[in-house]
PDB file of all heavy atoms in Angstrom:
ATOM      1  N   ASN A 702      -2.254  36.303 -24.157  1.00 92.00           N
ATOM      2  CA  ASN A 702      -2.204  34.895 -23.684  1.00 92.00           C
ATOM      3  C   ASN A 702      -0.726  34.444 -23.532  1.00 92.00           C
ATOM      4  O   ASN A 702      -0.194  33.779 -24.387  1.00 92.00           O
ATOM      5  CB  ASN A 702      -2.993  34.060 -24.747  1.00 92.00           C
ATOM      6  CG  ASN A 702      -3.099  32.682 -24.296  1.00 92.00           C
ATOM      7  OD1 ASN A 702      -3.067  32.354 -23.079  1.00 92.00           O
ATOM      8  ND2 ASN A 702      -3.232  31.705 -25.242  1.00 92.00           N
ATOM      9  N   TYR A 703      -0.222  34.810 -22.402  1.00 94.00           N
ATOM     10  CA  TYR A 703       1.143  34.310 -22.108  1.00 94.00           C
ATOM     11  C   TYR A 703       1.070  32.993 -21.374  1.00 94.00           C
ATOM     12  O   TYR A 703       0.392  32.902 -20.328  1.00 94.00           O
ATOM     13  CB  TYR A 703       1.938  35.294 -21.264  1.00 94.00           C
ATOM     14  CG  TYR A 703       3.343  34.778 -20.956  1.00 94.00           C
ATOM     15  CD1 TYR A 703       4.336  34.835 -21.911  1.00 94.00           C
ATOM     16  CD2 TYR A 703       3.607  34.190 -19.748  1.00 94.00           C
ATOM     17  CE1 TYR A 703       5.597  34.358 -21.663  1.00 94.00           C
ATOM     18  CE2 TYR A 703       4.891  33.698 -19.508  1.00 94.00           C
ATOM     19  CZ  TYR A 703       5.879  33.792 -20.433  1.00 94.00           C
ATOM     20  OH  TYR A 703       7.179  33.286 -20.169  1.00 94.00           O
ATOM     21  N   ILE A 704       1.716  31.973 -21.897  1.00 93.00           N
ATOM     22  CA  ILE A 704       1.730  30.650 -21.230  1.00 93.00           C
ATOM     23  C   ILE A 704       3.153  30.291 -20.875  1.00 93.00           C
ATOM     24  O   ILE A 704       4.016  30.327 -21.726  1.00 93.00           O
ATOM     25  CB  ILE A 704       1.073  29.612 -22.094  1.00 93.00           C
ATOM     26  CG1 ILE A 704      -0.410  29.955 -22.282  1.00 93.00           C
ATOM     27  CG2 ILE A 704       1.216  28.284 -21.431  1.00 93.00           C
ATOM     28  CD1 ILE A 704      -1.182  28.928 -23.126  1.00 93.00           C
ATOM     29  N   ASN A 705       3.370  30.031 -19.576  1.00 91.00           N
ATOM     30  CA  ASN A 705       4.716  29.612 -19.203  1.00 91.00           C
ATOM     31  C   ASN A 705       5.150  28.281 -19.828  1.00 91.00           C
ATOM     32  O   ASN A 705       4.296  27.427 -20.137  1.00 91.00           O
ATOM     33  CB  ASN A 705       4.751  29.405 -17.674  1.00 91.00           C
ATOM     34  CG  ASN A 705       4.992  30.721 -16.994  1.00 91.00           C
ATOM     35  OD1 ASN A 705       5.696  31.568 -17.431  1.00 91.00           O
ATOM     36  ND2 ASN A 705       4.391  30.847 -15.825  1.00 91.00           N
ATOM     37  N   GLY A 706       6.405  28.157 -20.003  1.00 90.00           N
ATOM     38  CA  GLY A 706       6.909  26.927 -20.515  1.00 90.00           C
ATOM     39  C   GLY A 706       7.448  25.982 -19.445  1.00 90.00           C
ATOM     40  O   GLY A 706       7.315  26.228 -18.228  1.00 90.00           O
ATOM     41  N   VAL A 707       7.992  24.909 -19.904  1.00 89.00           N
ATOM     42  CA  VAL A 707       8.534  23.874 -19.003  1.00 89.00           C
ATOM     43  C   VAL A 707      10.038  23.911 -19.078  1.00 89.00           C
ATOM     44  O   VAL A 707      10.566  23.851 -20.149  1.00 89.00           O
ATOM     45  CB  VAL A 707       8.036  22.533 -19.303  1.00 89.00           C
ATOM     46  CG1 VAL A 707       8.556  21.461 -18.375  1.00 89.00           C
ATOM     47  CG2 VAL A 707       6.487  22.487 -19.353  1.00 89.00           C
ATOM     48  N   SER A 708      10.739  24.074 -17.960  1.00 87.00           N
ATOM     49  CA  SER A 708      12.180  24.043 -18.086  1.00 87.00           C
ATOM     50  C   SER A 708      12.727  22.890 -17.172  1.00 87.00           C
ATOM     51  O   SER A 708      12.123  22.523 -16.218  1.00 87.00           O
ATOM     52  CB  SER A 708      12.804  25.404 -17.664  1.00 87.00           C
ATOM     53  OG  SER A 708      12.538  25.639 -16.316  1.00 87.00           O
ATOM     54  N   ILE A 709      13.868  22.446 -17.553  1.00 86.00           N
ATOM     55  CA  ILE A 709      14.465  21.319 -16.825  1.00 86.00           C
ATOM     56  C   ILE A 709      15.760  21.843 -16.193  1.00 86.00           C
ATOM     57  O   ILE A 709      16.608  22.324 -16.949  1.00 86.00           O
ATOM     58  CB  ILE A 709      14.775  20.154 -17.802  1.00 86.00           C
ATOM     59  CG1 ILE A 709      13.459  19.710 -18.471  1.00 86.00           C
ATOM     60  CG2 ILE A 709      15.379  19.012 -17.036  1.00 86.00           C
ATOM     61  CD1 ILE A 709      13.628  18.690 -19.589  1.00 86.00           C
ATOM     62  N   SER A 710      15.850  21.729 -14.929  1.00 84.00           N
ATOM     63  CA  SER A 710      17.093  22.282 -14.340  1.00 84.00           C
ATOM     64  C   SER A 710      17.960  21.138 -13.749  1.00 84.00           C
ATOM     65  O   SER A 710      19.059  21.394 -13.315  1.00 84.00           O
ATOM     66  CB  SER A 710      16.809  23.361 -13.295  1.00 84.00           C
ATOM     67  OG  SER A 710      15.821  22.916 -12.379  1.00 84.00           O
ATOM     68  N   ARG A 711      17.406  19.929 -13.710  1.00 85.00           N
ATOM     69  CA  ARG A 711      18.299  18.833 -13.342  1.00 85.00           C
ATOM     70  C   ARG A 711      17.747  17.590 -13.967  1.00 85.00           C
ATOM     71  O   ARG A 711      16.589  17.340 -13.998  1.00 85.00           O
ATOM     72  CB  ARG A 711      18.326  18.728 -11.805  1.00 85.00           C
ATOM     73  CG  ARG A 711      19.373  17.630 -11.365  1.00 85.00           C
ATOM     74  CD  ARG A 711      19.582  17.648  -9.829  1.00 85.00           C
ATOM     75  NE  ARG A 711      18.380  17.159  -9.149  1.00 85.00           N
ATOM     76  CZ  ARG A 711      17.976  17.602  -7.965  1.00 85.00           C
ATOM     77  NH1 ARG A 711      18.684  18.552  -7.369  1.00 85.00           N
ATOM     78  NH2 ARG A 711      16.932  17.193  -7.378  1.00 85.00           N
ATOM     79  N   TYR A 712      18.668  16.767 -14.457  1.00 84.00           N
ATOM     80  CA  TYR A 712      18.253  15.477 -14.993  1.00 84.00           C
ATOM     81  C   TYR A 712      18.581  14.456 -13.885  1.00 84.00           C
ATOM     82  O   TYR A 712      19.691  14.377 -13.371  1.00 84.00           O
ATOM     83  CB  TYR A 712      19.047  15.157 -16.234  1.00 84.00           C
ATOM     84  CG  TYR A 712      18.754  16.080 -17.385  1.00 84.00           C
ATOM     85  CD1 TYR A 712      19.495  17.216 -17.659  1.00 84.00           C
ATOM     86  CD2 TYR A 712      17.629  15.898 -18.190  1.00 84.00           C
ATOM     87  CE1 TYR A 712      19.204  18.084 -18.703  1.00 84.00           C
ATOM     88  CE2 TYR A 712      17.264  16.694 -19.253  1.00 84.00           C
ATOM     89  CZ  TYR A 712      18.074  17.833 -19.475  1.00 84.00           C
ATOM     90  OH  TYR A 712      17.762  18.670 -20.485  1.00 84.00           O
ATOM     91  N   GLY A 713      17.567  13.714 -13.517  1.00 82.00           N
ATOM     92  CA  GLY A 713      17.746  12.725 -12.443  1.00 82.00           C
ATOM     93  C   GLY A 713      18.672  11.600 -12.799  1.00 82.00           C
ATOM     94  O   GLY A 713      18.752  11.159 -13.925  1.00 82.00           O
ATOM     95  N   ASN A 714      19.346  11.132 -11.738  1.00 82.00           N
ATOM     96  CA  ASN A 714      20.236   9.993 -11.996  1.00 82.00           C
ATOM     97  C   ASN A 714      20.273   9.214 -10.686  1.00 82.00           C
ATOM     98  O   ASN A 714      20.822   9.590  -9.704  1.00 82.00           O
ATOM     99  CB  ASN A 714      21.673  10.491 -12.310  1.00 82.00           C
ATOM    100  CG  ASN A 714      22.625   9.361 -12.524  1.00 82.00           C
ATOM    101  OD1 ASN A 714      22.347   8.216 -12.195  1.00 82.00           O
ATOM    102  ND2 ASN A 714      23.837   9.671 -12.962  1.00 82.00           N
ATOM    103  N   ASN A 715      19.620   8.054 -10.618  1.00 81.00           N
ATOM    104  CA  ASN A 715      19.462   7.335  -9.377  1.00 81.00           C
ATOM    105  C   ASN A 715      20.717   6.498  -9.051  1.00 81.00           C
ATOM    106  O   ASN A 715      20.712   5.764  -8.070  1.00 81.00           O
ATOM    107  CB  ASN A 715      18.206   6.509  -9.343  1.00 81.00           C
ATOM    108  CG  ASN A 715      18.193   5.443 -10.424  1.00 81.00           C
ATOM    109  OD1 ASN A 715      19.207   5.276 -11.117  1.00 81.00           O
ATOM    110  ND2 ASN A 715      17.043   4.807 -10.621  1.00 81.00           N
TER     111      ASN A 715
END
Side-chain angles (χ1 to χ4, degrees):
Chain A
N702 186 24
Y703 178 79
I704 296 180
N705 275 325
V707 180
S708 65
I709 303 171
S710 49
R711 186 173 68 216
Y712 295 95
N714 178 351
N715 59 11

